[in-house]
Each structure stands twice: as C-alpha cells, then as structure tokens.
Amino acid sequence: MKTFVGGEGCSRLGLMVACLAMGFPAAMLAQQAPDPAVAEQLQLGREARLAGKYKDALDAFKRCIKLTKDSFADCQMGLASTYLQMGYPENSVASSDKALALAHDDMTKAVSHVLKGNALLLLDVGDKKSFEKAESEYRAATQLEPGVAAFHLNLAVSLIKQVRDDEAKEEIAKCLTLHPEAGVAEHARVLMEHPRWGREVRAPEFRLTTLQGQDLSLKQLNGKVVVLDFWATWCPPCRASVGELKELTKKYSSDQVVLISVSVDEDEKAWLDFTGKKSMTWPQYRDVDRHMVKAFEVNSFPTYLVIDGEGSIKQRIAGLNPQESVVYRLKTSLDELPQLKK
C-alpha cells in the first residue's frame, strides 16, 4: 500500500503561511557568519530542522549562540524557526525579539518580524489581539523589504483572520505582481479566490491505497464529506467503536460521506484479522510510516476528523465520551454541514 501526504504541519493556520517555520534562503540574509565554526553550526541546525530532528537543531543553534556570545541574529532566528515547528510559539516570539535586537540590516529585521508574526498567529488561534499583533509584524516586514512577495502574503493572511478580506486581496495582488515562486503563488491564488479558507483549518492533501486496493485522495473526494478514523487494534475504545462506525456507513451513502479508517497497527496480521472478523468493509488503510498521523497531528486514539466537501476540517473528536457515543457526536457534526442537510 502506498501513501502520500502534503501540507507540512501548518494546518492550524488553515493554509501554509509563506515561509512559516521553514527558515529562509541564505541569499535573503545579508549577514555573513563571523567565522567557519559558526557557519558550520548554522548549517547543521538548518539541516536538522528540515529533517525534523528538532532537538539536534536546537542544540546546534544554541552552540552557535555560545560561539558568538549571542551577538549574531541568525542564531536566534534559527531557534525561532525551530521552536515554531515544534509548536512552542511563546519561545519563538522570544527568540524573534532577540533576533530583532541583534539585526543590523533590513532583510534580517524583516525576516525576524515575519517569524514573530508567524508565532503570534499560532500563539492563540482565534484571539483578535494576536492577529492584530501579527499584522503589525508583517507590515513592518513589508515596509522594510516591499519587494518580497511572501511577506505580502503573510500580511494578507493576518488580515483574512480579522475578516478584512478586501484589504487582504490588495496584499495578495501585490504578492502576485512580484512573481513569487510556485508554492507562494499557488497559496496566494487560492486565498484570492477563497479568502474564508484562511480562517478555517484546512486538511492536508493525501493520497493512499486502501486494503481493498482503492486509490483515494482528498482532491479526488472533493465535494464529499470525509470522515477519518484514526485507530488501532490494541486500543480498546477503538475496538468498541466499530459497531457505531458501521451504523454511520449505513446512515449516509458513499456519494455523500466517505469513511476512511487509518490504523497505526505495526502488526499487519492483527490488523487484517480484526478488520476481516469485524467485516469492516469501508476503506481501510494501515499507516505504516505514520505519514497520515503526522500530517493530521494525531496524538491520541481514537481520533476522528470530519472534513467538509471543500477540504476544511470541521470537527476533531479525540477519545470517547461516556455520555455520548462516537456516532452521536459525528452525526451531530455531519448534520450541521449544509451539504448534508435535507
């Protein structure tokens, strides 16, 4: 069975914010490392961060800070990016502020402002004050370096979060006028057409081949509601919910709702035996390398996600509630979707 997952850990923002936590091309930064040892640690830190080895990245950037006696902005920017990817926005804000205090050129200052803005958007999603503060950081970046397309897109995202779509579209237009790289351009065009998506939690694209040999992708299922069931045979609440999930498949036709069970079982035989014994005839997939789990940020089992026909995650249910069955909770969410209302 094969799998592909896109969308790198930014689902909480709805769409990937340009440059979010991914670091910036070295060519964008005017500062040069003061000596080879510092340059080496910076490179090690960046490579570790991109590989998802966050502890190694933090250690490298902290060694960089020690070598420079905390006098080089790039070291703090590395920490800010790593903390953001780890989901520690408060630490990222603190490191971004230190980078700003150390920056001596406009590009370094602008990038530090963007990193801080990204952290503020994640600091308290839904908090208007955080959105306003993020907007201020992004505006500072665009004023310092108006020719960087991604900075305008970041500013647009903060405006969309505040339901200021017309202003956001102006920034998106500026972004596209600057002929950004393909990824930034793609996100800009999507937001221009669907600004409300920037206020929603967007599901990452995925493609997988089920136990039944069916190739499925989120794009292919466009227009249908998708329910993802993350489970395992060793999880008692997961096993207990099988009967209810069968009820769900009977209530809605496959033209309306597609249920996909994603197992994290390492024991393939146990998984095959259980799904066969319980007649789990809906799409079944074993997430061998846990790409699906990582992409959808699943940390407990069972977890259920309801994705509407446009690719927005409308509900996340983790664990079981003794007072309410899984199907009751899912049906409540599904019945609220306009496309399923009779």
Side-chain angles (χ1 to χ4, degrees):
M1 287 171 291
K2 57 187 177 182
T3 182
F4 165 85
V5 178
E8 192 157 348
C10 300
S11 59
R12 282 177 291 171
L13 287 182
L15 284 171
M16 181 184 288
V17 178
C19 301
L20 172 58
M22 299 309 296
F24 297 82
M28 290 180 65
L29 305 175
Q31 285 188 302
Q32 296 295 320
D35 62 58
V38 173
E40 179 183 8
Q41 292 305 317
L42 282 173
Q43 185 63 24
L44 287 173
R46 289 164 180 161
E47 290 175 355
R49 185 185 64 227
L50 290 174
K53 299 177 180 179
Y54 301 130
K55 183 181 182 302
D56 291 344
L58 290 178
D59 288 344
F61 291 129
K62 287 177 181 179
R63 286 194 294 270
C64 175
I65 289 171
K66 186 175 182 179
L67 285 170
T68 61
K69 297 181 179 179
D70 202 6
S71 63
F72 191 49
D74 282 33
C75 307
Q76 290 292 349
M77 289 166 62
L79 279 183
S81 294
T82 306
Y83 281 133
L84 196 54
Q85 282 188 277
M86 294 175 71
Y88 299 138
E90 297 91 345
N91 301 70
S92 185
V93 167
S95 292
S96 298
D97 280 335
K98 290 179 181 179
L100 277 168
L102 295 171
H104 297 296
D105 62 272
D106 287 348
M107 181 58 78
T108 304
K109 292 177 183 177
V111 171
S112 299
H113 278 298
V114 169
L115 284 170
K116 184 176 179 180
N118 291 342
L120 287 166
L121 281 188
L122 285 178
L123 191 58
D124 190 359
V125 177
D127 179 12
K128 183 180 178 182
K129 289 184 178 179
S130 290
F131 296 158
E132 291 173 347
K133 291 177 181 177
E135 176 194 347
S136 178
E137 297 299 326
Y138 294 142
R139 284 198 184 282
T142 58
Q143 289 167 2
L144 286 164
E145 292 289 345
V148 179
F151 294 171
H152 292 282
L153 181 55
N154 281 322
L155 176 54
V157 169
S158 68
L159 294 168
I160 287 172
K161 297 290 185 185
Q162 300 173 71
V163 199
R164 291 158 60 187
D165 294 355
D166 289 341
E167 294 175 69
K169 287 183 177 181
E170 292 178 10
E171 292 301 324
I172 293 172
K174 292 178 184 177
C175 169
L176 293 172
T177 300
L178 293 167
H179 305 292
E181 61 184 47
V184 173
E186 178 185 354
H187 291 301
R189 293 190 186 100
V190 168
L191 282 179
M192 182 70 88
E193 186 176 356
H194 305 285
R196 71 176 178 82
W197 286 4
R199 293 185 285 275
E200 299 178 348
V201 179
R202 301 292 294 167
E205 177 57 50
F206 66 84
R207 292 196 303 269
L208 53 82
T209 300
T210 68
L211 172 62
Q212 297 86 344
Q214 184 180 12
D215 291 326
L216 294 177
S217 70
L218 186 61
K219 184 176 182 180
Q220 172 195 339
L221 297 171
N222 182 49
K224 298 181 181 182
V225 175
V226 176
V227 177
L228 294 179
D229 157 40
F230 289 90
W231 74 292
T233 60
W234 43 257
C235 163
C238 301
R239 296 197 301 268
S241 69
V242 171
E244 295 184 79
L245 293 175
K246 284 184 181 179
E247 287 182 37
L248 192 72
T249 63
K250 294 174 182 177
K251 177 176 174 63
Y252 301 99
S253 74
S254 58
D255 291 333
Q256 292 178 302
V257 178
V258 176
L259 170 65
I260 304 174
S261 288
V262 180
S263 168
V264 295
D265 277 287
E266 294 183 3
D267 187 336
E268 183 178 18
K269 185 177 184 301
W271 172 64
L272 290 172
D273 288 347
F274 187 88
T275 55
K277 181 179 179 181
K278 295 296 182 179
S279 300
M280 297 169 69
T281 56
W282 59 91
Q284 302 292 323
Y285 175 72
R286 190 166 68 98
D287 193 19
V288 179
D289 54 10
R290 299 206 172 197
H291 278 157
M292 290 285 285
V293 166
K294 291 175 183 177
F296 285 92
E297 300 176 1
V298 174
N299 300 307
S300 61
F301 304 95
T303 290
Y304 307 93
L305 297 177
V306 176
I307 305 171
D308 71 11
E310 293 185 332
S312 292
I313 298 177
K314 308 307 288 187
Q315 187 180 26
R316 175 185 289 261
I317 300 173
L320 293 182
N321 183 336
Q323 281 73 46
E324 296 179 345
S325 71
V326 171
V327 167
Y328 176 81
R329 296 161 78 186
L330 286 173
K331 284 180 179 177
T332 300
S333 177
L334 292 169
D335 288 342
E336 292 175 354
L337 297 178
Q339 67 198 96
L340 296 181
K341 288 184 178 179
K342 298 179 181 178

